[in-house]
């Protein structure tokens, strides 16, 4: 029996909020578990909130990550504030040295308040989920704490959250109109440029064409990790361009069951999944949960990952609209086989580079910088979707597979995958370079 989206949402919500035993709130370091529970709720909200395309989702993950990290760093003797390190992030409100605080309560407050801000346009069920999460997790965070600590922590959390939200308002991505599709846009008529690949009227223009101009987080600008141009458009069968199109056609015409499974596992479609950046957040969440990581580690990992992927989408979109490259489905139908169809639905924006490749390259580089490149793990992100689990020998191996999934799906040429992975690794270095620990 097929589940409705509403029943699926309720089921995931229940799973996200259950299991918070009384032991969760008995120690301050359980703030890590509370923060991870908030991320489970956010993953669900991304999946079911209109306008949350992959770039938009990555932006939310970045701001939520920074907010949670600053909640902890504001009272830490070992964590370093990101003030002056992230673009536009200046002085944040300090804690009152005369008052006592709980890191777990501040983190919960910041997440609860920021989630309501970033997902204010979610539907009635999402609103109920946020309210239920806030009540359940607040009880866990506050249990056993003196009233003065609770009062000071909640008040500071609201103040910190307000400062983070103010910082976010002028980055270029705060307002999403018409689901991210511009009301007016001149689609190029030149050969080799992007043309609409969907019959949906809204998608006769490309998604978020100015996203690459948004203020970045850790990298200087969207052009910081620029890419060489893709092969020049040509209808000559002996050309490099034709060869890359023929490769996609040949691969997709003889897909093995394992390749089909890979394509579907990494498809991560908006409104049907928690999107590509959410996929990597889910991977990190499970790794942190298995380690029973404390609040400091959980906040730092999610911050670096969120920043890297948000910058990844800004950099990727900057290149996409610089080159405005045509999609395989357009080329193959015109030059090779008019009846050919890709396995996956072609997204409504230019081809080069591959967004999933860029953000996967960035995410894998961040996780590798923290845990090393020999960390085997099992990705259970889509078990609830009936796609099973996949095992990887390293984060790099997972990123490489995510990139190749786009060729198996018939939506990207090889250069977009290879250059996207490389771009992501380049962009990640800015997040990796952030100073988060004070000198011992």
């Amino acid at each position: 029996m097929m589940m409705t989206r509403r029943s699926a949402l309720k089921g995931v919500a229940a799973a996200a909020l259950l299991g918070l035993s009384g032991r969760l709130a008995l120690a301050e370091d359980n703030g890590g578990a509370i923060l991870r529970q908030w991320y489970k709720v956010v993953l669900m909200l991304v999946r079911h909130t209109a306008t949350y395309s992959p770039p938009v989702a990555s932006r939310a993950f970045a701001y939520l990550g920074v907010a949670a990290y600053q909640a902890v760093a504001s009272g830490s003797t070992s964590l370093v504030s990101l003030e002056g390190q992230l673009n536009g992030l200046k002085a944040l409100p300090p804690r009152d040295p005369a008052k006592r605080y709980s890191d777990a309560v501040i983190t919960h407050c910041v997440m609860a308040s920021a989630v309501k801000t970033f997902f204010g346009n979610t539907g009635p069920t999402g609103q109920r989920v946020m309210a239920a999460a806030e009540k359940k997790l607040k009880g866990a965070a506050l249990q056993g704490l003196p009233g003065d600590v609770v009062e000071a922590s909640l008040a500071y959390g609201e103040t910190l959250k307000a400062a983070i939200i103010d910082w976010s308002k002028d980055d270029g991505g705060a307002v999403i109109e018409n689901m991210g599709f511009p009301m007016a846009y001149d689609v190029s008529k030149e050969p080799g440029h992007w043309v609409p690949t969907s019959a949906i009227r809204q998608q006769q223009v490309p998604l978020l064409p100015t996203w690459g101009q948004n203020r970045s987080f850790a990298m200087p600008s969207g052009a910081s990790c620029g890419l060489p141009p893709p092969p020049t458009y040509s209808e000559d069968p002996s050309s490099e361009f034709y060869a890359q199109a023929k490769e996609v056609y040949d691969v997709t015409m003889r897909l093995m069951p394992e390749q089909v499974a890979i394509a579907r596992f990494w498809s991560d479609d908006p409104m049907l999944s928690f999107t590509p950046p959410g996929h990597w957040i889910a991977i990190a969440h499970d790794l942190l949960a298995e380690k029973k990581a404390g609040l400091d580690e959980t906040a730092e990992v999610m911050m670096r990952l969120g920043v890297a992927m948000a910058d990844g989408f800004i950099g990727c979109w900057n290149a996409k609209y610089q080159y405005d490259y045509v999609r395989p489905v357009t080329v193959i139908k015109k030059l090779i086989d008019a009846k050919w169809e890709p396995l996956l639905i072609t997204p409504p924006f230019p081809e080069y580079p591959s967004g999933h490749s860029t953000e996967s390259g960035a995410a894998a580089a961040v996780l590798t910088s923290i845990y090393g490149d020999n960390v085997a793990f099992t990705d259970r992100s889509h078990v609830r979707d009936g796609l099973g689990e996949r095992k990887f020998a390293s984060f790099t191996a997972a990123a490489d597979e995510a990139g190749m999934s786009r060729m198996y799906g018939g939506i990207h040429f090889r250069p977009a995958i290879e250059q996207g992975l490389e771009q992501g690794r380049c962009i990640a270095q800015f997040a990796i370079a952030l100073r988060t620990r004070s000198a011992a």
Side-chain angles (χ1 to χ4, degrees), residues 27-328:
E28 182 74 7
D29 62 4
N30 282 324
I34 292 173
L35 179 55
R36 289 193 294 276
Q37 289 291 332
W38 268 116
Y39 270 99
K40 290 179 74 172
V41 173
V42 171
L43 286 170
M44 176 189 51
L45 291 170
V46 165
R47 181 172 187 155
H48 296 278
T49 303
T51 73
Y52 267 72
S53 59
V56 176
S58 73
R59 176 181 179 272
F61 284 126
Y63 282 114
L64 290 170
V66 171
Y69 174 85
Q70 287 296 147
V72 186
S74 62
S76 175
T77 58
S78 58
L79 293 182
V80 175
S81 174
L82 298 172
E83 296 162 277
Q85 297 192 71
L86 299 179
N87 298 323
L89 184 63
K90 300 178 181 178
L92 292 171
R95 297 189 190 187
D96 185 341
K99 295 181 179 180
R100 296 187 301 160
Y101 297 92
S102 163
D103 289 346
V105 174
I106 295 173
T107 303
H108 160 73
C109 181
V110 164
M111 289 296 289
S113 188
V115 165
K116 285 188 289 186
T117 299
F118 283 110
F119 294 93
N121 66 319
T122 196
T125 303
Q127 297 289 343
R128 289 193 293 271
V129 167
M130 287 191 290
E134 181 173 14
K135 180 179 179 180
K136 183 77 173 182
L137 296 174
K138 183 177 181 180
L142 269 56
Q143 184 177 331
L145 292 176
D148 64 323
V149 173
V150 170
E151 181 180 0
S153 300
L154 291 175
Y156 178 72
E158 288 293 343
T159 301
L160 179 60
K161 168 264 179 179
I164 297 294
I165 296 301
D166 283 345
W167 169 52
S168 75
K169 289 179 179 178
D170 62 354
D171 70 348
V175 178
I176 305 298
E177 298 179 339
N178 195 38
M179 299 292 288
F181 295 94
M183 300 303 293
Y185 187 90
D186 292 328
V187 176
S188 175
K189 303 299 183 183
E190 295 296 318
H193 286 262
W194 180 84
V195 296
T197 58
S198 168
I200 298 173
R201 181 173 181 177
Q202 187 182 44
Q203 297 181 5
Q204 301 312 296
V205 293
L207 180 74
L208 298 169
T210 63
W211 196 265
Q213 301 169 28
N214 285 0
R215 182 185 66 206
S216 52
F217 287 82
M219 68 177 178
S221 74
S224 296
C225 289
L227 299 178
T232 302
Y233 179 81
S234 173
E235 299 183 8
D236 184 346
S238 65
S239 68
E240 183 181 2
F241 179 86
Y242 192 98
Q244 74 172 6
K246 187 65 163 55
E247 180 186 25
V248 174
Y249 178 74
D250 290 343
V251 166
T252 56
M253 289 300 288
R254 54 173 183 266
L255 286 174
M256 302 297 290
E258 172 70 356
Q259 293 171 321
V260 172
I262 289 171
R264 297 200 184 283
F265 186 81
W266 291 101
S267 182
D268 295 323
D269 299 306
M271 298 302 293
L272 298 176
S273 74
F274 31 58
T275 72
H279 193 146
W280 282 95
I281 290 289
I283 289 171
H285 172 278
D286 289 352
L287 290 170
L288 291 163
E290 289 173 8
K291 293 185 61 182
K292 297 182 179 179
L295 182 54
D296 284 22
E297 181 179 354
T298 301
E300 182 177 357
V301 169
M302 290 304 200
M303 178 277 292
R304 287 191 190 274
L305 190 58
V307 165
M309 291 193 296
D311 277 353
F313 273 104
I314 293 171
C316 177
W317 251 243
N318 186 282
K320 277 184 179 294
Y321 287 91
Q322 175 186 358
Y323 294 113
D324 192 38
Y325 209 52
V326 66
R327 286 279 181 171

